[in-house]
Amino acid sequence: MKKLNLTHWIKISLFSLFVVALLGVLMRYKIAFELPFIAQKNIQHAHSHFAFAGWVTQLLMVLMVNYLSKYTSEVKILKYNTLFWINIIGAYVMLVSFIIQGYGFVSILFSTLSIFVFVWFAILFYKDAKEIPSSSWSKNGFWPHCILEFFLLLGLLLWHI
């Protein structure tokens, strides 16, 4: 049975950070030079949504599952790989769709998908985190993160309405 490949997921997250940085440079470049085929607002939305879903959330989920893997079985850990793939593929589709169409059907659909993926992750992690010893600081630190991310996602969802 295959283990969680932490190095693989960290490399993907770092590449996503590189993409976020490139979008940031492109936004700054567009201020000084004309690029008529690229809408500044679309790049800005792609940058912010992708930074949140494709880099920060992805990396946090990977690191949390890596910590959980010390206390639970490989079978339970493997189900998170599916979530990681859904999240990262959805984040890249969201990135491209925001660049092309701005706030359109596809970008909103995949933005909403990233919210559901995180909720799915939180539910699975909550169930599996019961195996982490109660003295562990990470068990206590996870829930404030979930609450904060929930309100950030709620604000993002309300922003779309």
Side-chain angles (χ1 to χ4, degrees), residues 72-155:
T72 191
S73 69
E74 280 187 38
V75 174
K76 288 186 178 182
I77 295 302
L78 285 177
K79 64 187 168 192
Y80 291 99
N81 265 326
T82 305
L83 277 174
F84 296 159
W85 278 114
I86 293 170
N87 187 64
I88 202 67
I89 291 169
Y92 276 95
V93 171
M94 181 174 52
L95 170 72
V96 172
S97 63
F98 267 113
I99 291 171
I100 293 171
Q101 67 179 16
Y103 274 104
F105 176 75
V106 176
S107 58
I108 292 173
L109 178 70
F110 280 90
S111 188
T112 305
L113 174 69
S114 72
I115 294 169
F116 287 123
V117 167
F118 180 74
V119 170
W120 184 13
F121 171 82
I123 291 168
L124 286 177
F125 195 89
Y126 175 76
K127 290 178 182 177
D128 294 339
K130 292 176 182 172
E131 296 180 28
I132 297 175
S134 60
S135 62
S136 174
W137 64 269
S138 66
K139 186 172 184 178
N140 299 326
F142 171 73
W143 301 118
H145 165 74
C146 280
I147 292 167
L148 175 64
E149 183 137 3
F150 172 77
F151 283 112
L152 289 171
L153 292 171
L154 183 63

Side-chain angles (χ1 to χ4, degrees), residues 49-61:
H49 283 77
F50 185 75
F52 189 68
W55 173 48
V56 174
T57 300
Q58 182 78 14
L59 185 59
L60 287 173
M61 289 191 309

Side-chain angles (χ1 to χ4, degrees), residues 26-40:
L26 180 62
M27 283 191 299
R28 299 302 172 249
Y29 182 83
K30 188 152 171 44
I31 291 171
F33 302 98
E34 190 173 330
L35 292 173
F37 55 91
I38 298 176
Q40 178 77 8

